[in-house]
Amino acid sequence: MNAGDYQVLKSAVSWLEQGKRLALVTVVRNWGSAPRPLGSLFAISGDGDFTGSVSGGCIEDDLMRRFADAFPDKLELVRYGISAEEMRRFGLPCGGTLELVVEPVRDAAALRLLLDAVTGRWLVQRRLNLRTGESRIEPAEIDVSIRFRDDELVQVFGPRWRLLIVGAGQVSEYLAQMAPALDFAVYLNDPREEQRRNWQAGEVEWLDGMPDDAVLAFRPDKRTVIVTLSHDPKVDDMALMEALKTEAFYIGAIGSMASTEARRARLLTLDVSEEQLDRLHAPIGLPIHSRSPAEIAVAILAELVQLRNRLVSTSAPSSCAVGVTERSTACPR
């Protein structure tokens, strides 16, 4: 779950607890070039408070005008961009079409359950019956954005992606600055006091202790990324020997091909198996011929985004189009 959608849920719960009416809008289908991915959320209160996004702003403006005249009191499916006139009016790019579920929400407790699940790093899904408007929350088995058919919307909510950086060097500074824009919460560990004292990239959440202890205390899960960037084997190897035994989504290490081979040999002496070593991404990042620290950070983030997006697309049931921009078929029962 990204930070923007988490904020939508937080605001929605707050408005409901204040006694305000609430409408939750979800992108469920798109055709052509879509400004926001499937599952994107937009919430608006009866008093005109709003947060989130389903387009570049034009659709939100129209929804707010519509809701000011008649606030929704029943669930409905809304399309934008079907006609040429609508595409000109709403500014949808390249002939895009959006299909939205507009849902009046009255139960703050149900949305609070979603927030608690995300905070507790659980993966859950909200199943919404489009005929009755009833919803329920249950554990999720696959990590996809949404599954949608004519009578049901199933949306998965899970913890934010976490990025643990081990080693406080220049590459780490650029990575820590760029990663939040791609929806990674950034954490940093470096036992070397001089590196911590000279950190220049602003506020991050520091993890104390030696790298192996920091990794264990961090309790990596399937939405955790761990990268070692210190260039110091005494620092990087300590983190890797524990990280490779966890279910972390991605584990990467900086260095040349020669240093990567030397690292593999060292880790095999530290109770790390060949199978565990095969999970290591090294040299780290996509091969974009990066040279400067900023370019290396871009290469790392590019690989993380590529693999994260691939995870969502390959987790989707083959019979249900999820996370695509072409005309989607309805999900079977």
Side-chain angles (χ1 to χ4, degrees):
M1 184 179 193
N2 65 48
D5 289 343
Y6 181 74
Q7 183 57 51
V8 169
L9 291 181
K10 283 186 65 176
S11 298
V13 169
S14 175
W15 297 336
L16 286 169
E17 291 176 344
Q18 294 172 40
K20 298 180 180 181
R21 294 177 297 171
L22 176 78
L24 187 65
V25 183
T26 306
V27 179
V28 293
R29 282 182 182 148
N30 48 41
W31 297 267
S33 181
R36 294 285 288 140
L38 299 183
S40 296
L41 299 176
F42 174 68
I44 182 169
S45 78
D47 291 348
D49 312 294
F50 65 90
T51 184
S53 175
V54 293
S55 76
C58 47
I59 302 302
E60 291 86 345
D61 289 343
D62 186 71
L63 287 170
M64 287 187 287
R65 284 192 293 268
R66 290 179 54 185
F67 294 173
D69 293 336
F71 201 79
D73 59 1
K74 63 179 180 180
L75 193 146
E76 60 179 323
L77 198 62
V78 179
R79 283 190 180 184
Y80 282 94
I82 298 174
S83 67
E85 189 279 329
E86 281 182 312
M87 286 185 283
R88 287 192 298 270
R89 177 184 173 192
F90 297 114
L92 292 174
C94 305
T97 298
L98 291 178
E99 195 163 85
L100 311 172
V101 166
V102 177
E103 175 193 1
V105 180
R106 300 174 178 85
D107 186 3
L111 295 186
R112 173 66 66 184
L113 283 176
L114 289 179
L115 289 176
D116 291 343
V118 172
T119 303
R121 303 198 63 78
W122 307 323
L123 191 67
V124 296
Q125 61 188 22
R126 182 172 185 256
R127 190 179 293 272
L128 176 66
N129 187 309
L130 299 180
R131 301 189 189 281
T132 66
E134 297 177 350
S135 67
R136 69 177 187 270
I137 298 169
E138 58 193 22
E141 295 182 358
I142 57 175
D143 193 354
V144 299
S145 54
I146 68 168
R147 300 192 300 280
F148 176 74
R149 59 175 183 253
D150 291 339
D151 62 347
E152 186 177 61
L153 168 63
V154 180
Q155 188 160 11
V156 175
F157 296 87
R160 286 194 66 191
W161 288 86
R162 299 183 298 171
L163 169 61
L164 171 56
I165 303 171
V166 177
Q170 268 196 315
V171 174
S172 302
E173 290 180 354
Y174 283 106
L175 190 60
Q177 291 169 347
M178 298 176 185
L182 295 169
D183 214 53
F184 290 96
V186 180
Y187 301 79
L188 185 63
N189 169 262
D190 196 319
R192 302 168 298 179
E193 182 57 38
E194 67 277 9
Q195 295 297 120
R196 183 164 180 165
R197 186 173 61 249
N198 288 288
W199 177 255
Q200 301 293 322
E203 292 295 324
V204 294
E205 186 161 345
W206 283 87
L207 303 182
D208 295 325
M210 299 303 290
D212 53 340
D213 294 330
V215 168
L216 289 172
F218 200 54
R219 301 179 67 181
D221 57 24
K222 293 179 180 179
R223 288 197 178 194
T224 301
V225 170
I226 302 172
V227 296
T228 60
L229 305 177
S230 78
H231 288 286
D232 183 344
K234 296 189 298 295
V235 174
D236 290 349
D237 289 2
M238 292 179 70
L240 292 172
M241 71 179 186
E242 296 298 345
L244 290 167
K245 300 171 186 174
T246 72
E247 60 177 3
F249 170 72
Y250 177 101
I251 303 161
I254 199 168
S256 65
M257 289 300 299
S259 62
T260 295
E261 289 305 313
R263 179 188 299 114
R264 289 183 64 92
R266 291 194 307 270
L267 288 172
L268 286 172
T269 69
L270 297 174
D271 193 32
V272 176
S273 69
E274 287 279 4
E275 183 180 7
Q276 291 166 341
L277 265 178
D278 288 342
R279 301 183 56 219
L280 180 62
H281 294 260
I284 197 171
L286 292 184
I288 62 172
H289 304 288
S290 51
R291 293 290 183 268
S292 70
E295 290 175 347
I296 296 171
V298 168
I300 294 170
L301 286 170
E303 185 173 32
L304 293 178
V305 171
Q306 179 191 63
L307 293 175
R308 183 172 65 179
N309 289 346
R310 184 183 299 167
L311 171 70
V312 172
S313 62
T314 56
S315 296
S318 59
S319 57
C320 175
V322 179
V324 298
T325 55
E326 300 174 355
R327 180 175 291 272
S328 58
T329 57
C331 301
R333 291 183 181 275

